[in-house]
Amino acid sequence: ARAAALEATAVGLHWTFAPMVDVARDQRWGRNAEGSGEDTYLGSQFAVARVRGFQGSSLKDETSLLACPKHFAAYGAVQGGMEYNTADIPETTLRQTHLPPFKAAFEAGALSTMSAFNDIAGVPATGNHYLLTDILRGEWGFRGLVVSDYTSEEELIAHGFAANGADATAKAINAGCDVAI
């Protein structure tokens, strides 16, 4: 991560959409290669190391690359290993398995995060006030930036959570998503 930061900042980049810290236990999921595997503790340790590597000792340093832990949250728990799918998990599994690597990344200094494509119990992550506001900003005190995954605010429509683009945008913003990409 430190080497990537040095190379990226040398050509003018200052933000990376990494690390991917999803805990993934279904080998059918195509994003497994991006992450650290199925162990929450190991995933948390890698999250910390990669955030520190990207960001260096100070975000003010010209070789610092802002980390963006993704995909908040539980994207690695999608049913059937299918992209954009639902994650039907209980609160205890969310908190004990899928959230700790994110919390570790934020405690290591990450000031941005990317919302996920999946829904949890019918509520897509990008429109999930409970995830983005109650847990992330309320419980954890996160003061950074939440960016949607590529068109994940539009996925609110596909998930049947929003009626149209305007409704999806309003729901994403009201849930706590700051930037759509």
Side-chain angles (χ1 to χ4, degrees):
R2 182 79 289 222
L6 293 172
E7 291 179 10
T9 57
V11 295
L13 299 175
H14 295 285
W15 188 19
T16 183
F17 294 151
M20 194 278 256
V21 301
D22 295 302
V23 174
R25 295 181 172 167
D26 185 337
Q27 296 307 309
R28 296 173 293 179
W29 190 48
R31 310 283 304 256
N32 279 325
E34 284 184 71
S36 302
E38 62 186 15
D39 185 82
T40 302
Y41 176 77
L42 180 63
S44 297
Q45 296 303 303
F46 272 108
V48 168
R50 292 192 67 203
V51 166
R52 289 181 179 159
F54 286 134
Q55 295 189 173
S57 59
S58 171
L59 284 172
K60 294 178 182 179
D61 188 298
E62 65 183 33
T63 65
S64 180
L65 187 63
L66 180 65
C68 185
K70 62 182 187 177
H71 305 90
F72 194 76
Y75 195 27
V78 290
Q79 290 181 345
M82 295 176 62
E83 295 286 330
Y84 310 97
N85 207 0
T86 191
D88 189 18
I89 56 175
E91 180 81 8
T92 53
T93 302
L94 176 68
R95 288 185 177 270
Q96 293 175 0
T97 302
H98 298 281
L99 292 182
F102 288 96
K103 190 164 192 230
F106 302 138
E107 289 173 352
L111 289 175
S112 72
T113 191
M114 181 180 287
S115 64
F117 281 116
N118 62 286
D119 71 55
I120 299 174
V123 182
T126 300
N128 195 318
H129 189 275
Y130 179 65
L131 284 177
L132 301 181
T133 298
D134 296 347
I135 294 175
L136 183 62
R137 297 186 192 282
E139 289 180 30
W140 295 356
F142 181 73
R143 308 295 281 181
L145 177 74
V146 176
V147 61
S148 68
D149 202 338
Y150 180 71
T151 70
S152 66
E153 69 285 349
E154 293 175 22
E155 291 296 320
L156 300 180
I157 301 165
H159 280 277
F161 189 72
N164 53 43
D167 187 35
T169 300
K171 286 182 175 175
I173 291 169
N174 290 330
C177 185
D178 302 301
V179 177
I181 57 168

